[in-house]
Amino acid sequence: MKVRFNKLFTTTSLFLGMAFTAQLQAQDTFRNWEGGTSDDWMDPLNWQNDTIPAGANATARIYDSTPTIPNNTVLRTRGNATLKNVWIGQSGDPTKSGNLTVQSGATLATSNDFILNNNSKLTSSGAITVGNTNGIIVRDSAGVTLKNGSTLNKLNLQGNSTATLENGSSVTTLSNLAGSAKLTMHNTYSGNLTTNNSSTLSIGNGGSLTGNLTANNSSSVSIGNGGSHTGDLTANNTSKVTINGTLNGNFEIGSSTAEQRIGATGTVNGDVKVSSNDVLTIAGEVSGGQFSVNGTGKVVIESTADIRSEGIDSWLYDSADVTWNVGADGSVGTLRTNHLESTTGAFDGEWRYTGSALFTVVLDDYDTTNGLTISLALVSGIQNETTFASNVRFLLNGENVSSDFTYANGIFTGNVVPEPGAYALLAGGLGLAAALTRRARRRSPAPPRYASLPCSPSSNSPCYKFLSPSPFN
């Protein structure tokens, strides 16, 4: 009986010991960065308890503390770190932020979280992989910079966070932007993307986004000069879109009341449809699709604009409001269409027009030194031509000068007469010039008068005597 009891006790103790050991092994281990020796992640003396966080249960916590951490954290070239979590900065405490650099050739992988809080910074030229579905979460005012050669499987921007994706960096998945997050792209990315709240997306020089892009709420999207987007772009709510690069796709102002802009270097190869309460300014190029203005949509066409609409639905109708700003040299952004064009590619066709849209031509920027008479072709051709001509008004510094213009054969011709104030200024300038000339003449000495006299009775050579005034007096 005693033998059986001892065996039972031994077996039970062994089982409990194994379970306790397994429980200890299953517990997470947290290692704080202390940076007492250097900035090297792979130096155990830089970590709490002189132990590098590694393994399935290890969490690296990188943030400043008291006393201040002497060194930032660097995972150097050929460094390889695999662990459960990486937490940079302490949530809820803006005074505790961290700074991590992953150098080219280094790899960092987590099986669970990778979170940046507060003002923490991550700069990577290496390879980062996050095991959960969230990817790197960047929130509060934290920031990420991915440099040439870096790779990341997923980036998730929240709050007031920022991220810059430099040329040559690679991100597999970008989560939709939220909060006041700011993302600047100089790299190539494929996938649909949405900007929400007051977030900002900038596609800069060298940046390329392939996929549909939607701007919601009061967010903003900018395609900079040298940047491109291939896919449809939609602006909703009070979101704002500025295109100074290239959009290869349709630009739809879904329901945004903010002013959208296609800049002088901007190009849209696709449909541009303005309707409802949409507001759009065009200084660049629109081609490769349908351009139409309807409802109560408003379009401002700068003198540098080149708009070429394709198809029968080249419309100007309902209560649309179209304004042309004439350039200093008298140039104007003529609306062209290939609907009923004379020859293929001529874009001298006819716009469809219902007769209720309002048209305005602003002459404020025109330089009258180029001539007082100006001729303007606003459209390549249009239905209801007489009605169209009667619905165009001309403004000069806010004054309606439509009576100075006539319409014939698709051309408006008129005289741009300077305001009376301009005439007064010109007359005053001429008067001042004349007065200065008279004053200069009065101050100039009279030319000396002189007579030729013989120097001596025996000399045949004349001598000259100054009469008045003498230049030597």
Side-chain angles (χ1 to χ4, degrees):
M1 188 71 175
K2 184 175 181 180
V3 174
R4 290 181 179 178
F5 175 79
N6 288 338
K7 286 183 177 181
L8 178 61
F9 178 78
T10 302
T11 303
T12 302
S13 299
L14 180 62
F15 175 78
L16 291 175
M18 294 175 62
F20 181 69
T21 301
Q23 183 179 7
L24 288 177
Q25 291 175 345
Q27 289 180 344
D28 287 345
T29 57
F30 299 90
R31 295 288 181 264
N32 293 341
W33 173 259
E34 295 178 344
T37 300
S38 66
D39 61 6
D40 188 1
W41 174 300
M42 302 306 294
D43 185 344
L45 298 179
N46 288 319
W47 293 96
Q48 181 184 12
N49 297 332
D50 297 341
T51 304
I52 299 172
N57 301 313
T59 296
R61 296 189 296 196
I62 302 172
Y63 55 82
D64 211 348
S65 62
T66 304
T68 302
I69 301 298
N71 291 297
N72 293 326
T73 315
V74 178
L75 184 58
R76 297 181 180 176
T77 300
R78 293 186 297 276
N80 187 347
T82 302
L83 64 167
K84 182 177 181 179
N85 300 309
V86 173
W87 297 341
I88 306 177
Q90 185 167 312
S91 179
D93 189 347
T95 64
K96 293 186 176 181
S97 60
N99 193 316
L100 172 62
T101 298
V102 179
Q103 293 184 347
S104 176
T107 59
L108 175 58
T110 72
S111 59
N112 195 41
D113 289 342
F114 195 130
I115 302 175
L116 275 79
N117 295 296
N118 300 312
N119 298 310
S120 299
K121 304 296 180 186
L122 168 65
T123 302
S124 177
S125 301
I128 300 177
T129 304
V130 182
N132 64 19
T133 57
N134 294 324
I136 292 183
I137 296 177
V138 190
R139 57 195 182 195
D140 304 326
S141 298
V144 171
T145 300
L146 300 184
K147 293 185 170 294
N148 180 27
S150 64
T151 60
L152 173 64
N153 62 326
K154 189 172 184 178
L155 179 62
N156 188 339
L157 297 179
Q158 303 174 4
N160 294 316
S161 62
T162 61
T164 299
L165 311 182
E166 295 185 358
N167 189 17
S169 63
S170 175
V171 178
T172 304
T173 303
L174 288 170
S175 294
N176 294 331
L177 304 186
S180 299
K182 296 181 180 180
L183 173 62
T184 301
M185 298 175 54
H186 297 283
N187 67 334
T188 299
Y189 176 75
S190 295
N192 297 334
L193 191 61
T194 300
T195 59
N196 297 307
N197 308 119
S198 57
S199 59
T200 301
L201 170 64
S202 298
I203 304 175
N205 186 25
S208 175
L209 172 64
T210 300
N212 294 332
L213 177 57
T214 303
N216 291 327
N217 310 122
S218 58
S219 63
S220 62
V221 171
S222 173
I223 304 175
N225 192 3
S228 67
H229 169 216
T230 300
D232 293 341
L233 173 55
T234 304
N236 294 320
N237 310 118
T238 57
S239 61
K240 184 174 182 179
V241 172
T242 302
I243 302 172
N244 288 311
T246 302
L247 169 60
N248 296 310
N250 301 326
F251 181 27
E252 180 177 354
I253 309 174
S255 57
S256 178
T257 56
E259 179 183 354
Q260 319 301 324
R261 182 173 181 84
I262 303 172
T265 59
T267 299
V268 177
N269 298 311
D271 293 346
V272 177
K273 301 177 182 179
V274 183
S275 61
S276 301
N277 295 315
D278 302 343
V279 180
L280 173 64
T281 296
I282 305 174
E285 179 181 340
V286 175
S287 62
Q290 170 195 333
F291 179 80
S292 61
V293 189
N294 62 78
T296 55
K298 182 176 181 180
V299 173
V300 177
I301 302 173
E302 301 290 358
S303 61
T304 55
D306 183 5
I307 301 172
R308 300 170 185 249
S309 180
E310 297 188 4
I312 192 174
D313 290 327
S314 300
W315 273 103
L316 302 172
Y317 60 108
D318 293 338
S319 300
D321 187 342
V322 181
T323 298
W324 285 267
N325 286 329
V326 178
D329 59 353
S331 58
V332 67
T334 304
L335 291 177
R336 307 177 189 276
T337 178
N338 67 357
H339 173 54
L340 302 179
E341 63 186 353
S342 60
T343 57
T344 301
F347 283 92
D348 56 357
E350 183 179 81
W351 287 83
R352 301 180 68 185
Y353 172 57
T354 61
S356 58
L358 177 64
F359 306 100
T360 303
V361 179
V362 178
L363 301 161
D364 296 0
D365 293 335
Y366 178 64
D367 186 351
T368 54
T369 61
N370 292 310
L372 298 181
T373 301
I374 187 172
S375 297
L376 304 170
L378 304 182
V379 295
S380 57
I382 197 164
Q383 292 177 340
N384 303 312
E385 191 172 11
T386 302
T387 303
F388 164 74
S390 66
N391 282 342
V392 177
R393 61 175 181 166
F394 292 82
L395 299 180
L396 177 61
N397 297 318
E399 181 182 352
N400 192 330
V401 294
S402 301
S403 59
D404 296 332
F405 283 81
T406 59
Y407 180 80
N409 301 319
I411 304 293
F412 288 93
T413 303
N415 293 324
V416 183
V417 181
E419 293 182 343
Y423 278 125
L425 182 63
L426 178 61
L430 292 174
L432 178 60
L436 292 174
T437 301
R438 289 193 299 270
R439 184 177 180 183
R441 286 176 178 174
R442 286 198 300 268
R443 289 186 173 182
S444 300
R449 293 186 300 127
Y450 54 87
S452 174
L453 298 173
C455 289
S456 65
S458 61
S459 174
N460 293 324
S461 299
C463 288
Y464 297 93
K465 180 180 180 180
F466 289 96
L467 300 179
S468 68
S470 173
F472 305 108
N473 291 338

